[in-house]
Amino acid sequence: MSIQWFPGHMNAAKKKAEESMADTDVVIEVLDARLPEASCNPLVERMRVFRQRPCLKILNKSDLADPVATALWASYYNAQDNVTAYPMTTKKPSDVARIVTLCKQLAPHRGVPTKPLRIMIMGIPNVGKSTLMNALLKRRVAKVGDEPAVTKTQQRIYLDQHTVLIDTPGLMWPKIDMDSDGLMLAASHAIGSNALIEEEVAVFLAEVLLERYPNLLAARYGLKTEGMDGVAVVEGVGMKRGFRVKGGDLDFEKSAHVLLHDYRSGALGRISLETPQSRAERLARHAAEMQEKAERAAAIAAAKAEEAARGKRGS
């Protein structure tokens, strides 16, 4: 299943962000700690690298992520030039309080009366940007909702007389290259519901959980996971909970919804859908698949050209 989602307002948001980046000192990119690279927008990366802006990569919702995987991701990002990784949750005021200090460390020449520190907050939809903005300001200035793309316009607000926050709408990118990225984003509620089939997303999530966290499935639903596939897990959730449609058949749709909800809310436990190693392996597989696809296309094109040449010779 290939998931793509780039509503029209995001193209305008992208252009506005490119303009504002020129007058920004530090970029905060808010990532989902459960899937940091899948939730890392390549458009944001290109913009900030082009402008040579330092980046504070916030691994948000770290309270929902596997702490071992999060530590690996923090090391991965901290090894990059001009990047600081910060695992945190907006539920802890002490976590939020450190953000401006970390930004000042990335731009030590700013944050004085004559040169205020200008911080742009970016990220994909529903990753927690608006909640972070409200937590930083200690008041509600950004609309928050449990649906992707609630914020649609850019805001510029003074945190204090030395610090300016630029809040941007959640931004996706036009084409998600790897199907698994789209499915991880959908499972984590970063994709609009009109762009996905929830049952297929739940089956994908179940397969990841079988591979990485079978003990959490067993503990939450009482499943014996050995020999199961993703479909069987979703069915098992429904059978354990007694989800039936009229007539007595299993309510697969409701079962899928519950599995996704339990993952998103943390009821299943602390889960990460990728690690730096699994990401590298997935990228390698994708590159090999693309190479094979290109070779097949080239072979078909060559065969057609040869057939056309024979036809001309024959005539």
Side-chain angles (χ1 to χ4, degrees):
M1 177 185 181
S2 178
I3 295 175
Q4 305 294 336
W5 190 56
F6 192 71
H9 75 272
M10 288 189 183
N11 194 46
K14 170 181 170 290
K15 292 177 181 177
K16 183 64 176 174
E18 287 173 334
E19 293 171 5
S20 298
M21 186 76 72
D23 297 319
T24 297
D25 302 305
V26 175
V27 174
I28 289 179
E29 185 175 14
V30 185
L31 307 175
D32 189 323
R34 299 167 296 182
L35 52 151
E37 275 296 277
S39 61
C40 183
N41 189 334
L43 295 179
V44 173
E45 193 70 5
R46 283 200 289 271
M47 286 182 211
R48 75 162 193 89
V49 170
F50 176 74
R51 290 289 182 182
Q52 297 181 320
R53 297 300 187 255
C55 185
L56 178 65
K57 287 188 182 282
I58 289 181
L59 304 181
N60 196 29
K61 306 181 183 180
S62 63
D63 55 319
L64 302 178
D66 183 332
V68 174
T70 300
L72 292 171
W73 281 115
S75 296
Y76 172 84
Y77 288 121
N78 282 327
Q80 297 177 3
D81 290 339
N82 240 3
V83 172
T84 295
Y86 182 39
M88 61 158 286
T89 170
T90 52
K91 296 174 185 176
K92 288 186 178 180
S94 58
D95 283 2
V96 176
R98 287 194 63 210
I99 291 173
V100 173
T101 299
L102 292 169
C103 288
K104 287 180 178 178
Q105 290 172 1
L106 287 166
H109 57 293
R110 307 293 302 195
V112 296
T114 55
K115 293 182 178 179
L117 176 64
R118 300 162 299 181
I119 303 169
M120 180 181 280
I121 303 176
M122 306 187 75
I124 64 170
N126 213 28
V127 78
K129 295 185 313 304
S130 294
T131 302
L132 176 64
M133 187 82 168
N134 293 339
L136 280 166
L137 291 158
K138 298 180 182 178
R139 66 182 191 276
R140 187 184 176 94
V141 294
K143 189 176 180 182
V144 177
D146 191 32
E147 282 296 327
V150 170
T151 302
K152 291 184 170 63
T153 57
Q154 194 175 106
Q155 297 186 84
R156 189 181 185 94
I157 301 169
Y158 274 82
L159 178 60
D160 56 46
Q161 64 182 124
H162 303 151
T163 312
V164 181
L165 299 178
I166 304 162
D167 184 29
T168 62
L171 183 64
M172 290 295 294
W173 53 104
K175 186 177 187 303
I176 300 172
D177 289 333
M178 294 196 294
D179 290 349
S180 58
D181 280 357
L183 288 161
M184 281 192 281
L185 289 164
S188 303
H189 214 194
I191 302 286
S193 57
N194 61 329
L196 56 90
I197 300 172
E198 199 169 62
E199 294 92 317
E200 293 186 19
V201 176
V203 169
F204 166 82
L205 174 64
E207 289 171 352
V208 175
L209 296 174
L210 281 170
E211 181 183 349
R212 295 179 58 79
Y213 303 99
N215 57 318
L216 296 182
L217 287 172
R220 178 69 176 171
Y221 306 114
L223 299 176
K224 295 181 179 179
T225 59
E226 188 175 350
M228 278 187 160
D229 61 8
V231 172
V233 168
V234 178
E235 290 175 341
V237 171
M239 287 188 285
K240 290 289 184 179
R241 297 294 173 86
F243 296 150
R244 300 286 175 180
V245 295
K246 195 172 182 178
D249 290 337
L250 180 74
D251 191 337
F252 195 84
E253 181 179 355
K254 188 173 183 180
S255 304
H257 180 78
V258 165
L259 178 63
L260 289 170
H261 177 271
D262 285 355
Y263 158 68
R264 291 166 179 169
S265 67
L268 257 174
R270 298 182 68 173
I271 290 166
S272 291
L273 300 184
E274 61 177 357
T275 65
Q277 181 178 344
S278 72
R279 182 75 184 179
E281 291 168 353
R282 191 177 291 116
L283 285 170
R285 286 196 301 271
H286 178 69
E289 289 167 2
M290 292 299 99
Q291 179 65 26
E292 184 180 347
K293 185 177 179 180
E295 289 173 355
R296 283 201 305 268
I300 291 170
K304 287 182 177 179
E306 177 61 26
E307 184 178 349
R310 283 201 303 268
K312 287 182 179 179
R313 289 196 296 270
S315 62

